[in-house]
């Protein structure tokens, strides 16, 4: 097949497959061929003219090359890329293209003239970088320094990728043992340098791994001139091995600034250790001689299984390898370390596996999979549903996911000692609901487990008659919200943190009553923590707000100004917008025909973003009253309704004067009730892509 393809030019013909199946026929033209077949063959064979044309092109190329000063051109390209590598600021699309094309040209140049490549790698006299270049590496030529800088570039991942590819090709195609030697030495030496948490270093290690692999492979690439025996002359593998192992076991590598980059680094290090052991198995013996460093035990206990952890001692998990791929790399290394080495095997058994067996958790369920006990890959925890407390859990998750509220609650102090009591099962519980809330938020933030068990929270959450939550009874979530806010407010009232709730969720409504007799305006302000909107017979949240601000008729109202009894119109408007607005949708209503609660399940639309200006007092003043602001008679009240479903939105903290943007909200989360007025299930949707300084970046 290959032979035929080499004589084909131009696009594939539709009947080519058939043609290929008659492979032999092409070379040995037989009498049996039809005219059609002959026609095809003539189409698929290079004509003499074409062969001549190709030859001319080749000669032209050689001439062009001959007139080109290789070193000069290479210097131009290197300095062009150098400018882009050392620049700061965002990378433009053009810059990426420039680097890609420059490297391609540099390739064509040095691979068509291998002497140029060898000189540029081996001789430090060939100056390619700018005279005062910061990229220059001691002991290496400008070309090698240039490639190292590209591999370590933090400007753009694509830069690193292009340099990585170029480096591998240069190494392979250099046709020189000396060049390969220098390139490999530079890579291996630099694995131990540089900023440990950068993405580029892990790319670097990956490259080191693949180079070691290609040098030591069973069926080695014939263009790789280095052999296993050469590596120890380039770098001391034992030193490399123990340096990397020490880096891996340093406490700092457990810190996670960016989970994925960190993991790549750990995997790269473990893989290179494994490769080094493959090349130099006697390092295993050296490892068992350095017993006092407890390497094997530490790899097992620091990277895989934390056996010293007290359950309550702190939620900061110190295990370095928490996901499938990093753990797999660690297991591979342990296997390699113990393979054909009885000392290390015994060490692993005595100082690791026996402890591990003694510390295995008590498993009480069938089909135990530890993986399922971990928090979600996105870094979030659930709250365990003890029976029917979804109305609590779904609401608390919304509160937890309001960053301002979460961090203020965690920062607050209620100045109360723990109130330790025994519950009916004899468990000791701090019977202080605010403490329990803080504990829950702390666990939701820090724990590695799948969920938090709210048993203590439920015990300390007493209803108006002092009874703990009955976890088997489904309640209304808005009722929970009101009791919960009461509790938070009461806990913090005597402390400097008393305004937390108001700062995050608090807003003000104002009701305006105009006397139809004398025109006197009476206003009344009220603080609210949620706005309750009608759903029945309405299409969307805008209609809900319209209904909310619509005038109501009050009969026989006695005006305080003219002392007349008359019919008046009363309207309620939003005066101060809260930073985070909780909107309650009245889906459960009392049906006067049936004399029972029923659920309104009709469609009710709400947008991702909403501007509440049309429903505010400011807007009303501008459009309707067009008067000076009215002197107010403040009086607090609360807006509470029954509630099956809520919508929550948030804005940035407001300045003193409300700008247009301060009425703009984006949807933060939705709490859904599914079911009927009597029974159902609550759950939450939460937009996690909001500004939250401490959530892991994705
Ligand atoms: Zn009046």
């Amino acid at each position: 097949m290959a032979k035929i393809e080499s004589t084909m030019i131009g696009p594939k013909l539709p009947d080519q497959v058939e043609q290929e199946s008659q492979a032999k026929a092409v070379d040995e033209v037989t009498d049996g061929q039809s005219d059609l077949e002959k026609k095809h063959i003539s189409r698929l064979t290079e004509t003499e003219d074409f062969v001549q044309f190709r030859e001319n092109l080749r000669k032209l190329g050689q001439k062009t090359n001959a007139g080109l000063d290789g070193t000069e051109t290479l210097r131009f390209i290197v300095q062009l890329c150098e400018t882009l590598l050392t620049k700061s600021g965002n990378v433009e699309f053009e810059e990426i293209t420039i680097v890609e094309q420059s490297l391609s040209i540099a390739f064509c140049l040095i691979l068509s003239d291998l002497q140029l490549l060898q000189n540029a790698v081996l001789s430090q006299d060939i100056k390619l970088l700018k005279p005062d270049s910061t990229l220059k590496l001691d002991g290496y030529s400008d070309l090698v320094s240039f490639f190292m800088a590209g591999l370590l570039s933090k400007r753009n991942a694509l830069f690193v990728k292009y340099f990585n590819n170029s480096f591998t090709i240069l190494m392979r195609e250099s046709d020189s043992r000396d060049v390969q030697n220098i390139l490999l030495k530079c890579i291996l030496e630099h694995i131990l340098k540089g900023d440990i948490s950068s993405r580029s270093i892990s790319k670097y290690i990956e490259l080191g791994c693949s180079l070691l692999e290609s040098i030591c492979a069973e069926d080695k690439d014939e263009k790789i001139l280095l052999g296993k025996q050469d590596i120890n002359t380039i770098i001391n593998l034992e030193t490399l091995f123990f340096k990397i192992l020490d880096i891996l076991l340093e406490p700092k590598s457990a810190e996670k600034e960016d989970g994925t980059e960190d993991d790549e680094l750990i995997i790269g290090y473990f893989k290179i250790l494994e490769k080094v052991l493959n090349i130099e198995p006697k390092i295993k013996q050296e490892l068992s001689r350095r017993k006092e460093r407890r390497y094997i035990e530490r790899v097992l206990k620091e990277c895989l299984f934390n056996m010293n952890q007290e359950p309550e001692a702190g939620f900061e998990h110190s295990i370095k390898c928490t996901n499938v791929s990093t753990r797999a790399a660690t297991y591979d290394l342990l296997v390699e370390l113990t393979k054909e080495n009885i000392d290390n095997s015994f060490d692993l058994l005595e100082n690791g596996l026996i402890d591990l067996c003694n510390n295995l958790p008590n498993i009480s369920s069938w089909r135990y999979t530890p993986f399922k006990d971990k928090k979600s890959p996105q870094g979030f925890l659930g709250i365990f549903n003890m029976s029917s407390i979804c109305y609590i859990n779904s609401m608390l998750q919304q509160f937890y996911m309001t960053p301002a509220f979460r961090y203020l609650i965690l920062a607050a102090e209620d100045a109360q000692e723990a109130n330790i009591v025994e519950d009916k099962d004899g468990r000791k519980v701090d019977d202080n609901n605010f403490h329990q809330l803080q504990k829950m938020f702390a666990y939701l933030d820090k724990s590695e487990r799948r969920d938090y068990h709210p048993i203590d929270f439920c015990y300390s959450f007493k209803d108006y008659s002092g009874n703990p939550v009955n976890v088997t009874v489904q309640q209304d979530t808005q009722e929970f919200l009101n009791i919960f806010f009461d509790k938070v407010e009461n806990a913090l009232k005597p402390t400097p943190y008393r305004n937390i709730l108001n700062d995050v969720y608090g807003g003000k409504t104002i009701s305006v009553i105009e006397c139809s007799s004398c025109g006197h305006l009476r206003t009344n302000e009220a603080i609210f923590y949620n706005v309750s909107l009608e759903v029945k017979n309405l299409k969307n949240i805008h209609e809900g707000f319209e209904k909310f601000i619509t005038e109501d008729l009050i009969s026989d109202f006695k005006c305080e100004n003219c002392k007349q009894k008359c019919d008046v119109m009363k309207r309620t408007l939003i005066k101060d917008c809260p930073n985070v607005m909780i909107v309650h949708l009245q889906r459960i209503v009392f049906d006067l025909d049936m004399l029972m609660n029923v659920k309104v399940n009709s469609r009710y639309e709400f947008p991702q973003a909403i501007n509440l200006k049309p429903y505010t007092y400011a807007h009303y003043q501008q459009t309707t009253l067009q008067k000076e602001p009215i002197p107010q008679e403040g009086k607090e009240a609360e807006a509470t309704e029954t509630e099956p479903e809520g919508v929550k939105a948030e804005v940035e903290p407001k300045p003193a004067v409300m700008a247009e943007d301060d009425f703009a909200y984006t949807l933060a989360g939705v709490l859904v009730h599914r079911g009927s007025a009597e029974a159902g299930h609550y759950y939450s949707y939460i937009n996690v892509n909001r500004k939250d300084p401490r959530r892991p970046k994705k």
Side-chain angles (χ1 to χ4, degrees), residues 70-80 126-129:
T71 316
E72 200 55 49
T73 314
L74 197 56
R75 182 177 299 127
F76 174 79
I77 291 167
V78 164
Q79 296 194 359
L80 180 69
I126 299 180
K127 299 296 173 205
L128 298 175
L129 294 164

Side-chain angles (χ1 to χ4, degrees), residues 73-91:
T73 314
L74 197 56
R75 182 177 299 127
F76 174 79
I77 291 167
V78 164
Q79 296 194 359
L80 180 69
C81 293
E82 184 186 355
T83 315
L84 302 181
L85 287 175
T86 48
K87 247 173 87 173
S88 56
N90 288 337
V91 173

Side-chain angles (χ1 to χ4, degrees), residues 515 517-520 559 561-564:
C515 174
S517 175
C518 73
H520 174 74
C559 173
N561 190 45
C562 64
K563 314 289 180 200
Q564 299 283 318

Side-chain angles (χ1 to χ4, degrees), residues 128-330:
L128 298 175
L129 294 164
K130 290 172 187 164
D132 54 346
S133 178
T134 51
L135 305 184
K136 184 88 188 88
L137 290 177
D138 279 345
Y140 289 100
S141 71
D142 276 8
L143 188 68
V144 176
S145 301
F146 171 65
F147 271 99
M148 290 302 127
L151 281 169
L152 283 173
S153 171
K154 291 192 181 71
R155 279 208 78 200
N156 189 286
L158 281 175
F159 284 8
V160 180
K161 187 182 154 199
Y162 297 147
F163 275 93
N164 185 37
N165 291 344
S166 320
F167 189 93
T168 320
I169 298 174
L170 283 186
M171 171 97 181
R172 183 175 181 272
E173 303 293 334
S174 66
D175 197 30
S176 156
R177 190 191 187 85
D178 293 336
V179 168
Q180 292 184 349
N181 202 314
I182 288 209
L183 293 181
L184 183 68
K185 182 167 190 270
C186 198
I187 283 285
L188 291 181
E189 278 181 356
H190 281 80
I191 280 176
L192 300 171
K193 288 184 190 166
D195 178 3
I196 195 144
S197 66
S198 73
R199 188 201 321 253
S200 38
I201 192 93
S202 67
K203 202 79 198 158
Y204 216 90
I205 292 171
E206 208 176 285
L207 182 61
C209 274
S210 62
L211 292 181
L212 282 180
E213 200 159 20
S214 55
I215 289 168
C216 305
E218 299 274 313
D219 48 346
K220 210 175 83 175
D221 186 336
E222 57 187 22
K223 291 201 166 183
I224 299 289
L225 305 172
L226 297 175
K228 274 191 193 187
Q229 69 287 350
D230 293 308
I231 295 175
N232 262 319
T233 65
I234 294 170
I235 192 163
N236 185 321
L237 283 180
E238 192 178 302
T239 316
L240 182 75
F241 182 88
F242 284 103
K243 266 192 183 170
I244 292 180
L245 199 53
D246 284 333
I247 291 176
L248 266 173
L249 293 172
E250 265 171 30
K252 97 177 197 196
S253 59
E255 282 172 19
K256 292 207 165 183
E257 293 152 26
D258 182 326
T260 50
E261 286 185 17
D262 216 43
D263 287 347
E264 276 175 35
L265 196 69
I266 290 179
I267 295 170
Y269 275 138
F270 272 117
K271 284 235 155 18
I272 211 157
L273 289 181
E274 202 195 324
K275 295 273 173 309
V276 169
L277 283 180
N278 268 321
I279 305 166
E280 197 63 280
K282 66 176 190 228
I283 294 177
K284 294 180 199 174
Q285 278 113 57
E286 182 54 33
L287 193 88
S288 56
R289 272 195 289 279
R290 302 190 188 187
K291 249 206 152 80
E292 76 290 349
R293 301 296 310 270
R294 298 168 31 244
Y295 279 118
I296 291 185
E297 184 188 344
R298 287 173 63 202
V299 168
L300 187 81
K301 292 183 178 173
E302 289 174 28
C303 300
L304 295 171
F305 302 99
N306 184 348
M307 295 177 221
N308 305 320
Q309 199 183 348
E310 299 280 315
E312 285 288 322
F315 6 83
E316 202 71 65
H317 233 271
S318 56
I319 292 178
K320 291 199 171 78
C321 304
T322 51
N323 66 37
V324 177
S325 32
T326 49
R327 291 180 76 82
T330 322

